Amino acid sequence: MPIASAAAVPSRAELVDHLVRTRIAGEVATPRENNLSHYRKLANGDRYFWFGLEFGDRWADEQDVLAVMAERCGVSDDPHHRQGQDTIDPELTVDALERAAAVLRKAAAGAHRVLFATGHPGGLLDVHRATAAALRAAGCEIVVIPDGLQADEGMVFQFADVAMLERGATLWHTHSPEPMAAILDGLERAGRPLPDLVVADHGWAGCAGQRGLDAIGFADSNDPALFLAEAEGTLQVTIPLDDHVRSPRYYDPLTTYLLNAAGLT
């Protein structure tokens, strides 16, 4: 049974209030100067911030990146605001959750193969796990990754239906697209079908989208690549949120809202 069925489903207004109180959205912990630094590095061609996507020279102007982030994430659009507090618009977070719910509803209706992965196990693991459980209960196949995959000096493992990078018996926070590339290449080598849908974050989502797979991504205000990918149509949905707040339990109402909107509770 999906985990969300045991919890009260928040209204939109209740969820917005919760997001602001827990700083998943609203006045988030990521400072303005960090956001702008990442936008500048992406614009300057630093591929670490491209998350496995190929932007060419389309986003070479930092102000163009800022404009998209203001529109899709809700950071301040003032180019003269250079330091201090920045924001994620909680209404945009909920809007994106509802768009993601429509994608999940379609996946459930078609009994699609879905792959889950996270580069932020300390924050988002249970969001992915609960969503995978709900889709399996609805008849979807949750993709099981091949054994023995390696990337970035670590092993790509799957725990609770979610793929992650492990190094030295520790689940690893990573922005890299290489673990997702290892999974997709491993599936092809094994003659197994690729996922119909990927639900992920960081480079895991970027790599999937770049390879032409339908993908939903979660992204923080200092991770512009996935928002640009949604703007270009490479990702179906990018959900803006602080991806590592004080307690992972703070994401439970968000997950409940998402699954309820998708008809999975």
Side-chain angles (χ1 to χ4, degrees), residues 9-259:
V9 178
S11 68
R12 182 184 177 106
E14 288 169 340
L15 180 59
V16 165
D17 178 68
H18 172 79
L19 295 175
V20 172
R21 284 189 293 104
T22 57
R23 300 186 76 184
I24 294 172
E27 293 188 346
V28 293
T30 308
R32 176 67 167 188
E33 48 268 40
N34 184 261
N35 285 340
L36 294 182
S37 171
H38 288 200
Y39 305 167
R40 184 179 313 111
K41 289 174 180 177
L42 181 147
N44 288 340
D46 186 335
R47 287 180 173 269
Y48 177 83
F49 296 95
W50 286 20
F51 285 11
L53 293 150
E54 292 297 331
F55 293 123
D57 60 0
R58 296 189 300 280
W59 299 100
D61 187 333
E62 177 188 347
Q63 297 308 312
D64 291 340
V65 178
L66 175 60
V68 170
M69 293 302 294
E71 175 188 10
R72 294 179 177 267
C73 183
V75 302
S76 171
D77 63 357
D78 181 1
H80 301 294
H81 177 37
R82 308 301 298 177
Q83 60 184 6
Q85 185 65 58
D86 213 342
T87 55
I88 292 174
D89 185 340
E91 298 287 351
L92 293 178
T93 302
V94 181
D95 287 346
L97 288 170
E98 292 174 352
R99 295 197 304 277
V103 177
L104 296 178
R105 184 184 292 269
K106 179 180 176 182
H112 289 172
R113 295 181 304 277
V114 187
L115 173 64
F116 288 84
T118 185
H120 236 304
L124 299 180
L125 171 57
D126 211 40
V127 178
H128 292 301
R129 182 203 61 79
T131 307
L135 284 175
R136 176 182 281 111
C140 288
E141 175 190 342
I142 305 306
V143 174
V144 176
I145 70 170
D147 289 332
L149 299 179
Q150 300 182 43
D152 296 332
E153 300 180 342
M155 300 296 296
V156 185
F157 287 154
Q158 194 168 30
F159 302 95
D161 291 326
V162 185
M164 288 166 279
L165 182 68
E166 190 219 49
R167 291 183 189 165
T170 300
L171 300 180
W172 207 255
H173 170 231
T174 177
H175 289 189
S176 173
E178 295 306 317
M180 178 58 76
I183 293 172
L184 299 179
D185 291 345
L187 290 171
E188 290 185 328
R189 282 195 305 271
R192 294 171 52 195
L194 295 178
D196 300 306
L197 175 66
V198 172
V199 182
D201 47 68
H202 289 177
W204 304 80
C207 176
Q210 184 62 42
R211 296 224 184 169
L213 301 175
D214 287 351
I216 295 170
F218 293 84
D220 210 329
S221 60
N222 63 352
D223 294 333
L226 299 189
F227 294 99
L228 301 182
E230 184 187 19
E232 293 189 333
T234 308
L235 259 66
Q236 275 55 54
V237 184
T238 297
I239 300 166
L241 81 178
D242 187 315
D243 53 18
H244 198 138
V245 292
R246 187 172 64 182
S247 169
R249 294 277 67 82
Y250 289 167
Y251 297 103
D252 288 352
L254 176 154
T255 307
T256 301
Y257 187 93
L258 171 65
L259 299 184

